[in-house]
Amino acid sequence: MLKKIIVLAGMALITAGSLNTVFCAEEIAVKVNGEKVEFDQSPIVENGRTLIPFRAVLEEMGLSVDWDADTKTVICTDGEKMGVLTVGSDEMTMGAEGQEIFKVNGGGVYIDGESVPIDAPAKIVNGRTLVPIRVIAESFGADVIWNEESRTVEINIEMKVDESELEKACDELMEILTGIAESGVVLDEKIADEFFSIADKLYEIQTLLDEMEYTQENVDKVTDMVKEIKLRVMDIVREADINIDGTK
């Protein structure tokens, strides 16, 4: 009996060791453009591939992410491309943004596009869907590096930043300032000094744009600053009764 217990204990230790090879969660970190991503379910390794909770990483990459619970499918887009990946499937389908998604009888979805093979299918662990991050990240143009020394998955992707609101705000401000300059109005000293202060502020904003980290959040902050300046200039135009074309 004692010998049997020892054998069973040994088998249990071997099993535990095997599981640790797969679920070595605490040993794996993930960074997107140098920023560490936090998870409520740790990554795992299967077949030499790292599977990671999909939403936190993909959203950090700037992708829009949906989850179809009926088919257990991850749907992600970057505004141009779309990828669909069903739990348990050995391939991911990449297509164009906005195209029709077809459901498959028996589970899963697909879109017309390129089939990308996967050697470690997505799976659900503790209620969280884990996906093979390398194949998805690279399919959306990211570089993926495995740092063995720090046991870190490093994902680097050029983040898309929408500057349209900033460009619009700058164009509107320039239109007003040009109108003031072409109106021929003689500004009194107080108003002239305020315009010089506004010019200094615009220079500070330009310097900030050159020095800041190029992210959507920072571009949005600068956009708000330009809009505030535009509103102040409009107030000056009204207070000084300056009649210029394009003033609203």
Side-chain angles (χ1 to χ4, degrees), residues 9-10 19-20 24-25 33 55 62 70 82 93 95 97 143-144 154 156 162 171 181 195 206 231:
L19 286 174
N20 189 52
C24 49
N33 288 350
R55 187 175 295 278
D70 293 337
M82 175 189 296
T93 309
E97 161 76 3
D143 293 322
V144 182
E154 299 176 358
N156 296 297
D162 183 1
D171 287 345
F195 274 126
Q206 179 61 54
L231 291 175

Side-chain angles (χ1 to χ4, degrees), residues 13-33:
L13 286 172
I14 292 172
T15 301
S18 299
L19 286 174
N20 189 52
T21 301
V22 175
F23 295 94
C24 49
E26 63 279 358
E27 299 180 9
I28 299 174
V30 181
K31 292 183 178 180
V32 176
N33 288 350

Side-chain angles (χ1 to χ4, degrees), residues 134-216:
R134 178 180 290 275
V135 66
I136 297 180
E138 291 182 342
S139 294
F140 281 95
D143 293 322
V144 182
I145 300 171
W146 167 248
N147 188 321
E148 179 64 36
E149 183 177 352
S150 62
R151 294 193 61 77
T152 301
V153 178
E154 299 176 358
I155 302 172
N156 296 297
I157 187 169
E158 183 178 351
M159 303 299 287
K160 294 183 178 180
V161 176
D162 183 1
E163 293 184 337
S164 59
E165 281 295 312
L166 177 57
E167 292 176 357
K168 180 181 177 182
C170 289
D171 287 345
E172 290 175 348
L173 177 58
M174 182 58 67
E175 182 181 357
I176 298 168
L177 295 175
T178 300
I180 295 173
E182 294 178 349
S183 69
V185 66
V186 178
L187 303 177
D188 63 35
E189 185 177 349
K190 180 180 179 181
I191 295 177
D193 286 343
E194 185 154 8
F195 274 126
F196 281 125
S197 297
I198 289 173
D200 289 340
K201 186 65 175 178
L202 288 172
Y203 179 77
E204 291 176 9
I205 290 175
Q206 179 61 54
T207 302
L208 179 62
L209 274 171
D210 292 338
E211 297 178 350
M212 72 181 185
E213 183 181 358
Y214 191 63
T215 64
Q216 188 66 58

